[in-house]
Amino acid sequence: MSTRCFTMLKPGVLNRRLVGEVITRLESKGLKLVGLKLMNISPELASQHYAEHKEKAFYDDLVDYITSGPVVAMVWQSDDCVALVRKVVGATKPLDAMPGTIRGDFCCHTSNNVIHASDSDASAEREINLFFKPEELIDWEDQASIWY
């Protein structure tokens, strides 16, 4: 069954000119891009996005980083989308992220993580609704899907 996953390329990815590389890795896995936007995140939106971390010591650093420059918000679609995206993205802690994953290849510090990916179908739905209006998502017919 086709599901969706929200991902966000954080400001460091744009500064390092890695946007195309990261998108290529997700596309190469066979995931279908159905939503994409370059945007600046307000402190209010960052607060909503990271609400579950509000009481944690690193919360202010998360909000500061995510609002420090533009991000690329994306919605991907595939069977078992969240699980597949998280495999390509790799573990949250850079020391645990395997080489060949996005975080394993491009991230050294958890506080400057390069990408956010939904951790469950419920989180994906909540995050997609925070960042995208329904009409901004385009579920197009993927002719290449037979190869994946």
Side-chain angles (χ1 to χ4, degrees):
M1 181 175 139
S2 187
T3 59
R4 290 180 172 171
C5 183
F6 175 77
T7 62
M8 178 177 24
L9 305 184
K10 297 183 181 183
V13 174
L14 280 85
N15 285 310
R16 293 169 60 197
R17 310 301 194 266
L18 295 172
V19 172
E21 173 72 25
V22 173
I23 290 174
T24 295
R25 288 182 182 213
L26 293 163
E27 283 185 316
S28 295
K29 182 67 176 173
L31 302 166
K32 180 169 73 168
L33 184 62
V34 297
L36 173 74
K37 65 169 84 169
L38 178 68
M39 62 187 294
N40 288 305
I41 297 180
S42 68
E44 296 78 23
L45 179 55
S47 177
Q48 290 177 292
H49 178 66
Y50 287 126
E52 70 272 14
H53 300 301
K54 208 165 207 140
E55 301 303 319
K56 297 178 182 168
F58 57 84
Y59 173 79
D60 288 336
D61 290 337
L62 271 177
V63 171
D64 288 346
Y65 178 47
I66 208 68
T67 59
S68 69
V71 301
V72 178
M74 298 178 285
V75 179
W76 297 91
Q77 184 172 301
S78 74
D79 293 343
D80 302 311
C81 194
V82 169
L84 285 174
V85 166
R86 292 194 65 85
K87 289 279 188 192
V88 175
V89 167
T92 302
K93 293 182 180 179
L95 286 175
D96 298 334
M98 297 297 294
T101 65
I102 293 167
R103 290 179 179 143
D105 290 349
F106 302 122
C107 189
C108 290
H109 305 284
T110 303
S111 60
N112 289 335
N113 207 326
V114 296
I115 187 170
H116 167 83
S118 301
D119 62 5
S120 68
D121 289 340
S123 291
E125 184 176 346
R126 183 183 71 81
E127 293 167 347
I128 290 166
N129 289 328
L130 279 175
F131 288 88
F132 288 89
K133 298 173 188 165
E135 63 271 17
E136 294 177 313
L137 302 175
I138 301 170
D139 187 6
W140 49 280
E141 186 176 342
D142 186 357
Q143 298 295 320
S145 65
I146 62 170
W147 302 107
Y148 297 102

